[in-house]
Amino acid sequence: MIETIKTYLNEQRDQHIEELMQFLRIPSISAVAEHQPDMIRCAEWTAQSLQKAGLENIEIMPTGGHPVVYADWLHAPGKPTVLVYGHYDVQPAEPLELWNTPPFEPVIQDGKLFGRGSTDDKGQLLLYAKVIEAFLRTHGSLPVNVKFCIEGEEEIASKHLPAFVEKYKDKLQADTIVLSDTQMQGPGKPALMYGLRGLAGFEITVDGANSDLHSGLFGGAVQNPIHALSKLLNSFHDEDGRVAVKGFYDRVIELSDKEREAFKQVEPDSNKVRSDLHVDTLYGEKGFSFYEQTTSRPTLEITSVSGGFQGEGIKPIIPNRASAKIACRLVAAQVPEEIMDAVEHHIRALSMPGVKVTLDRQLRGNPFITPIDEPVMVAAAEAYEDTYGAWPVYTRSGGSIPIVEVLGRVLDAPVVLLGFGLPGENLHAPNEHFHLVNWDKGTETISRFWLKLAAMRE
Amino acid sequence: MIETIKTYLNEQRDQHIEELMQFLRIPSISAVAEHQPDMIRCAEWTAQSLQKAGLENIEIMPTGGHPVVYADWLHAPGKPTVLVYGHYDVQPAEPLELWNTPPFEPVIQDGKLFGRGSTDDKGQLLLYAKVIEAFLRTHGSLPVNVKFCIEGEEEIASKHLPAFVEKYKDKLQADTIVLSDTQMQGPGKPALMYGLRGLAGFEITVDGANSDLHSGLFGGAVQNPIHALSKLLNSFHDEDGRVAVKGFYDRVIELSDKEREAFKQVEPDSNKVRSDLHVDTLYGEKGFSFYEQTTSRPTLEITSVSGGFQGEGIKPIIPNRASAKIACRLVAAQVPEEIMDAVEHHIRALSMPGVKVTLDRQLRGNPFITPIDEPVMVAAAEAYEDTYGAWPVYTRSGGSIPIVEVLGRVLDAPVVLLGFGLPGENLHAPNEHFHLVNWDKGTETISRFWLKLAAMRE
């Protein structure tokens, strides 16, 4: 069956790429208000494209912000249902002068399609419409049931999508969620990103006297909020770079031997990292590699600190306040609220005479993980291997894409991040492009993936 | 002899106060460029006033800034020479709307003379001219040799005076330096301020990677400059509030039993201090009272700290730099440069992998002390007692008046701070005033002081 699909896609390739170029010509920049008409136009284009592919029940659904495009095809009884997530919005193109060709006038050079959105995410998203078109035109049906949830606010932090997913969780219900908005390890080297870190962000404020004090008249007899804050901030880590907050690591799922082994394939050269950053040594929790530290271990980073006179020169005061902002990156199965509870307990347990400490909880994002031995992950890996001739590497990101976790949690389904981008494709930067070899291999991988998902229920 | 002097001063009192009011009418605000003509006018007024008193060799001497007024009377061979220091410049009067009477239209109400400069320092300075006038009119000579060095930049940190004193140190040479620019303990309670703290001010910068880093992608594997800075700042004090920098206390002259005893008379009610500041407890070096901590003990205060994104919200980065500014208040016989050496050694001895720490030395001011059993101090105390009927209390200030130390050190003579101001006279604030009872007692004290100095060489 896969050969018929490949033949069809090959015959239609020029037409399909031309359609992608149409998609890229719409400057659907979600962050900029004047592009509001383009956002509507792009949502409509997406809807029409899905309809043309053969999907049904097309809807452009309001969210309070840019709309979501919904579509489905549900005629494979007994087969799994796959929810495809993607986004039709793009990053702003500035600085324009650094583009070699205009960002919204796509061109192909050396097998690469240049244009804003080519890899993030229009190019990767359209793969799914074309796979559906191929199945329906050649076989009249899809091997699985499919739903689409395509948002227009991914580049502005998916502002309205969590509430949307909650509201329509029955409509969006699926057995697996799949999205292609990430990168491969390198040319010909597929990657399955199976973990993202969560976030707990809060601000600590230390208040001392009721006003700034003259450091000559009060220095040495009144607690200085900066001293107290330094003590507090220094207490968050031990000498081995480990977070010293009681209970911080309680829920951390340790890496399996299999994962540790898999990480060896993606571990960057730490000497190169060190020299790229111009530091004399890397520094982190002992007993873990750079890649492990930045993806599979939780961290507590002080992102800013402030206190006293911020102008030029030394104003010799004891400030009445000092504060710091902290971002904890969390890994499964840590819970942001529990982590902030633990920090609050840690603070209360410290002796801080003469000052008052308050904690203001500001950001919460759950960590995300899909276990690599989950059957859908195995199916995805096999699809990659059949297509690229290489088993994918397993990667995690130290960053956070909260919507991935929301989809998985609210819909209670494993999420597969099936990336076809390549490192260096300049997403969010000038001269964004997409290697078209991964257009072809992308459609093939997705087709094989769906066939394998269908086979799981035979 | 003192009775003749008192009688003369009493007879001339109205005329003398009228002269002081003329002095106060000149808005000699050194900080404001548009008052430059007033500064010149005020220097000339001061010079004429000293000449009228009977002083000789009057000079208005350039300094690079506002001029110094010099004068002398050196016809007491074999007797000590006293250098009188004072300043003819005043603080700006703003906020004007808070003055009950215009700042440069002096008026007398309830025995208090209101006007900018009335206590700081024109009122206290003019005492000396009137004492000289009294001696010369009634006895034709002074009991001691006298020199005047009256600057116009005290309110702008005596910018040019240190170089001036160095340059003219032969001309200014004296056995004792006296100035009246400080306060008594309270009505009828004279005070001899015999110590001021010095200052060592520096900035510490901690540099990490060559740019800010994404806290998701690098968090946990790269040293965060704020973490390193917090460790450093926290290392400066031990749990007992003592500075933990090796050698910091090496040169500190411990208080004598006599001084500790004397301090009990001036020690503020620490409960009141605590409640005025709205803190749950005071906090400082163990084993010392509030007054001892703030005047006789050196301190290391972090006056400001900064690092990371300073705007609203949490920007989850590892900043590439964090910095802190520190002001050490020093006591005799600490040396600012040695203290900064000690801090630098302390920093170098700490293990700080992954970051680079630099120290930028910015401020230096020596501590000042005149031992309370110095003969001139005893003479001053006796003069106070004879006048007020009370032995003075001995005070120290935790602040710094660097010029006092410069005068004493460069001219190698003890400095006596013979204050006649009272707490609450609003120096540097609206409605500055001077209690005229201390005009009368001030001239008497100074007269008695000079007679005693003369008697020391009989």
Side-chain angles (χ1 to χ4, degrees):
Chain A
M1 185 182 273
I2 189 68
E3 290 309 320
T4 349
I5 300 291
K6 281 172 71 175
T7 303
Y8 175 84
L9 288 167
N10 195 37
E11 285 165 5
Q12 301 293 319
R13 190 180 193 268
D14 289 353
Q15 171 59 24
H16 289 171
I17 299 295
E18 177 47 40
E19 280 180 45
L20 174 53
M21 288 167 83
Q22 281 178 23
F23 199 10
L24 297 182
R25 284 187 193 105
I26 307 171
S28 51
I29 303 167
S30 50
V32 179
E34 68 188 50
H35 285 285
Q36 174 64 18
D38 298 316
M39 294 304 298
I40 299 299
R41 191 152 60 92
C42 200
E44 285 168 353
W45 191 96
T46 305
Q48 282 159 17
S49 170
L50 295 178
Q51 188 164 36
K52 209 166 60 177
L55 285 151
E56 303 169 350
N57 302 312
I58 317 286
E59 280 184 79
I60 295 178
M61 301 176 74
T63 64
H66 302 305
V68 162
V69 180
Y70 176 84
D72 62 34
W73 188 96
L74 304 172
H75 307 296
K79 297 295 178 188
T81 301
V82 177
L83 176 73
V84 176
Y85 163 85
H87 62 96
Y88 63 84
D89 65 325
V90 299
Q91 281 278 324
E94 285 77 9
L96 298 177
E97 66 278 13
L98 296 185
W99 285 79
N100 297 325
T101 57
F104 297 105
E105 297 176 21
V107 292
I108 298 170
Q109 287 173 349
D110 301 329
K112 293 173 265 187
L113 174 59
F114 285 83
R116 172 59 85 226
S118 55
T119 187
D120 178 18
D121 178 46
K122 292 174 175 173
Q124 296 199 58
L125 167 59
L126 206 63
L127 295 171
Y128 290 87
K130 293 309 156 197
V131 166
I132 283 164
E133 181 185 315
F135 271 106
L136 292 178
R137 298 285 156 85
T138 57
H139 296 84
S141 67
L142 304 182
V144 291
N145 300 292
V146 174
K147 296 176 179 177
F148 275 71
C149 173
I150 313 301
E151 73 160 320
E153 298 190 312
E154 199 271 347
E155 302 296 3
I156 50 173
S158 300
K159 225 161 130 184
H160 296 88
L161 201 62
F164 182 91
V165 174
E166 279 286 357
K167 185 171 176 188
Y168 295 106
K169 66 178 170 189
D170 292 338
K171 186 185 184 84
L172 300 174
Q173 200 56 61
D175 299 297
T176 306
I177 299 151
V178 63
L179 59 113
S180 294
D181 197 16
T182 50
Q183 297 180 351
M184 299 168 51
Q185 185 68 5
K189 294 182 180 168
L192 276 172
M193 183 178 285
Y194 72 101
L196 290 160
R197 293 202 283 191
L199 194 63
F202 51 90
E203 182 166 7
I204 292 172
T205 303
V206 178
D207 283 294
N210 51 353
S211 70
D212 288 351
L213 299 175
H214 188 294
S215 85
L217 304 185
F218 291 92
V222 173
Q223 179 58 300
N224 180 327
I226 303 180
H227 296 195
L229 181 65
S230 300
K231 176 181 171 177
L232 189 53
L233 298 182
N234 187 53
S235 75
F236 284 143
H237 293 87
D238 68 16
E239 285 292 322
D240 289 337
R242 213 175 136 82
V243 176
V245 174
K246 193 168 171 240
F248 189 79
Y249 294 96
D250 277 2
R251 284 187 188 265
V252 171
I253 300 170
E254 299 293 334
L255 285 177
S256 65
D257 291 345
K258 195 171 164 187
E259 286 173 291
R260 283 210 154 194
E261 201 52 45
F263 273 20
K264 287 185 184 154
Q265 292 180 58
V266 291
E267 186 72 51
D269 176 356
S270 63
N271 251 324
K272 184 172 181 317
V273 174
R274 187 194 57 67
S275 93
D276 285 351
L277 298 179
H278 291 216
V279 290
D280 62 1
T281 180
L282 296 174
Y283 181 85
E285 192 187 358
K286 278 193 187 157
F288 297 90
S289 71
F290 176 88
Y291 197 77
E292 289 167 353
Q293 287 168 342
T294 55
T295 63
S296 72
R297 300 297 297 171
T299 64
L300 183 156
E301 293 291 336
I302 307 161
T303 65
S304 76
V305 64
S306 182
F309 177 66
Q310 297 291 314
E312 219 178 301
I314 294 176
K315 188 178 176 189
I317 54 163
I318 299 171
N320 70 332
R321 168 172 283 189
S323 62
K325 293 174 183 171
I326 289 164
C328 293
R329 296 284 176 170
L330 309 181
V331 300
Q334 290 178 299
V335 179
E337 215 61 52
E338 286 183 5
I339 291 300
M340 293 191 277
D341 287 345
V343 170
E344 186 131 22
H345 287 140
H346 177 89
I347 293 171
R348 300 299 160 225
L350 274 182
S351 165
M352 303 284 265
V355 291
K356 192 166 157 279
V357 183
T358 50
L359 188 143
D360 177 31
R361 305 180 185 205
Q362 298 183 2
L363 301 176
R364 296 159 183 86
N366 290 316
F368 155 78
I369 198 162
T370 303
I372 60 177
D373 46 10
E374 185 81 25
V376 294
M377 289 291 279
V378 176
E382 288 172 357
Y384 265 136
E385 188 184 36
D386 292 349
T387 306
Y388 285 90
W391 194 261
V393 295
Y394 292 100
T395 65
R396 286 200 194 192
S397 170
S400 308
I401 315 179
I403 194 60
V404 169
E405 186 277 332
V406 170
L407 286 166
R409 175 169 44 84
V410 177
L411 304 181
D412 192 21
V415 185
V416 180
L417 286 84
L418 213 57
F420 298 106
L422 277 179
E425 285 186 334
N426 290 7
L427 65 165
H428 295 205
N431 303 312
E432 177 178 348
H433 56 278
F434 183 43
H435 286 74
L436 291 176
V437 61
N438 292 319
W439 170 271
D440 302 314
K441 294 214 181 284
T443 48
E444 181 179 343
T445 305
I446 293 165
S447 304
R448 289 184 183 277
F449 179 44
W450 288 358
L451 289 168
K452 284 177 196 292
L453 288 182
M456 284 163 63
R457 292 259 182 110
E458 263 163 11
Chain B
M1 185 184 275
I2 189 69
E3 290 309 319
T4 348
I5 301 290
K6 282 173 72 175
T7 304
Y8 175 85
L9 288 167
N10 195 36
E11 285 165 4
Q12 301 293 318
R13 190 179 191 268
D14 289 353
Q15 171 59 27
H16 289 172
I17 299 295
E18 178 45 40
E19 280 180 43
L20 173 54
M21 288 167 83
Q22 280 178 23
F23 199 11
L24 296 182
R25 285 187 193 105
I26 307 171
S28 49
I29 303 166
S30 50
V32 180
E34 69 188 51
H35 284 285
Q36 175 63 20
D38 297 316
M39 293 304 297
I40 298 300
R41 192 152 62 92
C42 200
E44 284 166 355
W45 192 96
T46 306
Q48 281 159 18
S49 170
L50 294 178
Q51 187 164 38
K52 209 166 62 176
L55 284 152
E56 302 168 352
N57 303 312
I58 316 284
E59 279 183 80
I60 295 178
M61 301 176 73
T63 64
H66 301 306
V68 162
V69 180
Y70 176 86
D72 64 33
W73 187 96
L74 304 172
H75 307 297
K79 295 296 178 188
T81 300
V82 176
L83 177 73
V84 176
Y85 163 85
H87 63 95
Y88 63 84
D89 66 325
V90 298
Q91 281 278 324
E94 283 77 9
L96 298 177
E97 65 277 14
L98 296 184
W99 286 80
N100 297 324
T101 58
F104 296 105
E105 297 175 22
V107 292
I108 297 170
Q109 287 173 347
D110 301 330
K112 292 174 266 188
L113 175 58
F114 284 83
R116 173 57 86 226
S118 54
T119 187
D120 178 18
D121 178 50
K122 290 173 176 175
Q124 295 200 58
L125 167 59
L126 205 65
L127 295 171
Y128 290 86
K130 293 308 155 196
V131 166
I132 283 163
E133 180 185 315
F135 271 107
L136 292 178
R137 296 288 154 85
T138 58
H139 296 84
S141 67
L142 304 181
V144 290
N145 299 293
V146 174
K147 296 176 178 177
F148 275 71
C149 172
I150 312 302
E151 72 160 322
E153 298 190 310
E154 199 271 348
E155 302 295 4
I156 49 173
S158 301
K159 227 162 129 184
H160 296 88
L161 201 63
F164 181 92
V165 173
E166 279 286 357
K167 184 171 177 187
Y168 294 107
K169 67 179 170 187
D170 292 338
K171 186 184 182 86
L172 300 173
Q173 201 55 62
D175 299 297
T176 306
I177 299 152
V178 63
L179 59 112
S180 295
D181 198 17
T182 50
Q183 296 178 352
M184 298 168 54
Q185 185 67 5
K189 293 183 180 169
L192 274 172
M193 182 179 284
Y194 73 101
L196 290 160
R197 291 202 284 192
L199 195 62
F202 51 91
E203 182 166 8
I204 292 172
T205 303
V206 178
D207 283 294
N210 51 353
S211 70
D212 289 350
L213 299 175
H214 189 295
S215 85
L217 303 185
F218 292 93
V222 173
Q223 178 58 300
N224 180 327
I226 303 180
H227 296 193
L229 181 65
S230 300
K231 176 180 171 177
L232 188 53
L233 297 181
N234 187 54
S235 75
F236 284 144
H237 294 87
D238 67 16
E239 285 291 322
D240 289 336
R242 213 175 136 83
V243 177
V245 173
K246 194 168 171 238
F248 189 79
Y249 293 96
D250 278 1
R251 284 187 187 266
V252 172
I253 300 170
E254 300 291 335
L255 285 177
S256 65
D257 290 346
K258 196 170 165 188
E259 285 174 293
R260 284 210 153 193
E261 201 51 44
F263 273 20
K264 288 186 183 153
Q265 291 181 58
V266 290
E267 186 73 50
D269 175 356
S270 64
N271 252 324
K272 185 174 180 316
V273 174
R274 187 193 58 67
S275 93
D276 285 352
L277 299 178
H278 290 217
V279 290
D280 62 0
T281 180
L282 296 174
Y283 181 85
E285 191 186 359
K286 278 193 186 158
F288 297 90
S289 72
F290 176 87
Y291 197 77
E292 289 167 353
Q293 286 168 342
T294 55
T295 63
S296 72
R297 300 299 295 172
T299 65
L300 183 156
E301 293 292 336
I302 307 162
T303 64
S304 77
V305 64
S306 183
F309 177 66
Q310 297 291 313
E312 220 178 298
I314 295 176
K315 187 178 178 189
I317 54 163
I318 299 171
N320 69 332
R321 168 173 283 189
S323 62
K325 293 174 183 172
I326 288 164
C328 294
R329 296 283 175 170
L330 308 181
V331 301
Q334 289 178 299
V335 179
E337 214 62 52
E338 287 182 6
I339 290 300
M340 292 191 277
D341 287 344
V343 170
E344 186 131 23
H345 288 141
H346 178 89
I347 293 171
R348 300 300 159 224
L350 274 183
S351 165
M352 302 285 263
V355 292
K356 192 166 159 276
V357 183
T358 49
L359 188 143
D360 178 31
R361 305 181 184 205
Q362 299 183 1
L363 300 175
R364 296 158 182 87
N366 290 315
F368 155 78
I369 199 164
T370 302
I372 60 176
D373 44 11
E374 185 82 24
V376 294
M377 290 291 278
V378 176
E382 288 172 356
Y384 264 136
E385 187 183 36
D386 291 351
T387 307
Y388 285 89
W391 193 261
V393 295
Y394 293 100
T395 64
R396 288 199 193 191
S397 170
S400 308
I401 315 179
I403 194 60
V404 169
E405 186 276 332
V406 170
L407 287 165
R409 174 169 45 83
V410 176
L411 303 180
D412 191 22
V415 185
V416 180
L417 286 84
L418 213 58
F420 297 107
L422 278 179
E425 285 184 335
N426 290 7
L427 64 165
H428 295 206
N431 304 312
E432 178 179 347
H433 57 279
F434 183 43
H435 285 74
L436 290 176
V437 60
N438 292 319
W439 170 270
D440 302 313
K441 294 216 182 280
T443 48
E444 182 180 342
T445 307
I446 293 165
S447 304
R448 289 185 184 277
F449 179 44
W450 287 359
L451 289 168
K452 284 177 196 293
L453 288 182
M456 284 163 64
R457 293 260 182 109
E458 262 163 12

